[in-house]
Amino acid sequence: MLTADQVRAFETDGYLVVPDVVPADVLDRVRAEYSTLMDGLYAGWLAEGRVHTPPDQLDFWGKLLEAYKAGCDWFQPMDISLPGDRIQADTPFHFGPAVFDMLTDPGLLDVVETLIGPEITSNPIQHVRLKPPATDLQADEVRAHITATDWHQDRAVALDEADQTRMVTVWLAITDATVQNGCLQVQPKASDQDMLPHCARTQTGIADGFVDEAQAIPLPVKAGGVVLFHPLTPHASLVNRTDGFRWSFDIRFNVTGQPTGRSHFPEFVARSRSNPEAELHDWTAWKAMWEGARGRLAAAPHVDLHRWASDSPFCA
């Protein structure tokens, strides 16, 4: 649980760094699960002749980098969501027991409960973030999960159905996040903070002139710690200037019964003090929900996740 001082700080500034939230053994299981996933992906790319270094010569990070340089997409197969672009019947994603245990970790939910109350839904706006060194990025790389994330507010990158939803973003560090390897940065939420104009660029980002980047506050955090965000708090990420990867998960929780901002994606009750029987404890059911959504959405018209027009006055 958070202290009263921490809650006040979050309510005033719109963000809070909390160390040592998710236990080391939970993180270790996530790392092991992803290592096994990477082994399978790499073996397939090796068989196709797309990568060439023998897998026994590379660790998890080496395989990630080798695959990235070869143009092999490991992000979507490792992500814990469907993409915002066109969904196919075979679009890959990852839903496993270790990630589910991370999302439903009691200590993590205790922190969330302090901020939004005891009826907690796992929001489907969620992603893995594996950021390579900037020196190895392809010249045309613009994907937010790979390079620096533009300034944005989380409410603005959800659909407007969730504009009144009580929600909190939890940015969970799997490796230490430092200024050097591309940690988050924030502009504290103003007391009268409203939604700022955003532009539909490659990333949905706040229009020029609304963030004073010179006043940005970096938010380093150790593995297992989290950064919490109010949905109106402007934030971004720095560039990874080290020779290693930075790994995190970007997850959200909202009050059960309120719109998620992705109503076409599955949600589940992570905690309910009033009706514990409603809680989901079976990771295979979670995975099946997403598989069902994939099949349904592949056969349906595309749902555009950009709510901002690129030709608005602020974006000209």
Side-chain angles (χ1 to χ4, degrees), residues 100 102-105 108-113 115-117 119-126 165-172 226 228-229 231 250-256 258-260 268-271:
F100 183 79
M102 178 188 72
L103 290 176
T104 56
D105 177 73
L108 176 61
L109 294 179
D110 285 346
V111 168
V112 173
E113 181 174 349
L115 297 178
I116 68 170
E119 306 304 315
I120 303 172
T121 283
S122 177
N123 185 288
I125 305 176
Q126 53 188 23
T165 294
R166 192 174 179 192
M167 184 184 303
V168 63
T169 296
V170 178
W171 192 93
L172 170 60
V226 301
L228 306 171
F229 287 109
D250 181 7
I251 56 182
R252 302 187 198 186
F253 298 91
N254 61 267
V255 173
T256 298
Q258 297 182 356
T260 65
F268 70 86
V269 176
R271 173 173 288 179

Side-chain angles (χ1 to χ4, degrees), residues 90-104:
D90 60 351
T91 296
F93 50 61
H94 176 68
F95 295 92
V99 173
F100 183 79
D101 288 347
M102 178 188 72
L103 290 176
T104 56

Side-chain angles (χ1 to χ4, degrees), residues 28-286:
D28 286 343
R29 290 196 296 273
V30 170
R31 295 182 186 113
E33 186 168 281
Y34 270 79
S35 181
T36 299
L37 175 59
M38 185 72 244
D39 288 347
L41 292 170
Y42 194 88
W45 294 323
L46 186 70
E48 294 169 359
R50 300 181 65 189
V51 294
H52 304 286
T53 304
D56 59 359
Q57 296 181 16
L58 298 169
D59 61 7
F60 173 75
W61 307 111
K63 290 172 186 172
L64 277 178
L65 192 54
E66 181 93 355
Y68 177 77
K69 289 180 176 179
C72 302
D73 179 24
W74 41 255
F75 170 71
Q76 187 54 50
M78 290 186 163
D79 199 18
I80 56 172
S81 180
L82 287 164
D85 52 10
R86 196 68 175 90
I87 295 167
Q88 307 296 330
D90 60 351
T91 296
F93 50 61
H94 176 68
F95 295 92
V99 173
F100 183 79
D101 288 347
M102 178 188 72
L103 290 176
T104 56
D105 177 73
L108 176 61
L109 294 179
D110 285 346
V111 168
V112 173
E113 181 174 349
T114 310
L115 297 178
I116 68 170
E119 306 304 315
I120 303 172
T121 283
S122 177
N123 185 288
I125 305 176
Q126 53 188 23
H127 295 287
V128 67
R129 306 292 189 188
L130 285 154
K131 183 180 289 195
T135 52
D136 292 295
L137 291 179
Q138 295 162 10
D140 60 349
E141 183 59 76
V142 293
R143 293 173 294 178
H145 51 273
I146 299 293
T147 185
T149 305
D150 289 341
W151 285 95
H152 66 282
Q153 296 164 295
D154 284 344
R155 181 167 291 169
V157 297
L159 297 177
D160 58 7
E161 65 183 33
D163 279 358
Q164 303 305 316
T165 294
R166 192 174 179 192
M167 184 184 303
V168 63
T169 296
V170 178
W171 192 93
L172 170 60
I174 305 299
T175 58
D176 292 351
T178 67
V179 171
Q180 291 74 30
N181 72 8
C183 70
L184 295 178
Q185 53 181 339
V186 66
Q187 174 181 287
K189 179 177 69 69
S191 59
D192 58 348
Q193 185 76 61
D194 202 349
M195 197 183 307
L196 299 172
H198 284 62
C199 297
R201 302 160 177 159
T202 305
Q203 302 174 25
T204 298
I206 295 172
D208 294 342
F210 286 88
V211 174
D212 182 359
E213 296 192 35
Q215 302 301 315
I217 301 171
L219 303 174
V221 61
K222 297 282 190 181
V226 301
V227 183
L228 306 171
F229 287 109
H230 183 281
L232 286 176
T233 304
H235 59 284
S237 74
L238 296 165
V239 173
N240 181 1
R241 302 192 184 282
T242 70
D243 59 1
F245 278 75
R246 191 217 70 191
W247 184 2
S248 63
F249 284 90
D250 181 7
I251 56 182
R252 302 187 198 186
F253 298 91
N254 61 267
V255 173
T256 298
Q258 297 182 356
T260 65
R262 292 282 190 279
S263 58
H264 55 297
F265 285 175
E267 61 192 80
F268 70 86
V269 176
R271 173 173 288 179
S272 176
R273 300 294 190 185
S274 65
N275 183 23
E277 294 78 15
E279 297 174 0
L280 184 67
H281 297 287
D282 181 358
W283 76 271
T284 62
W286 178 53

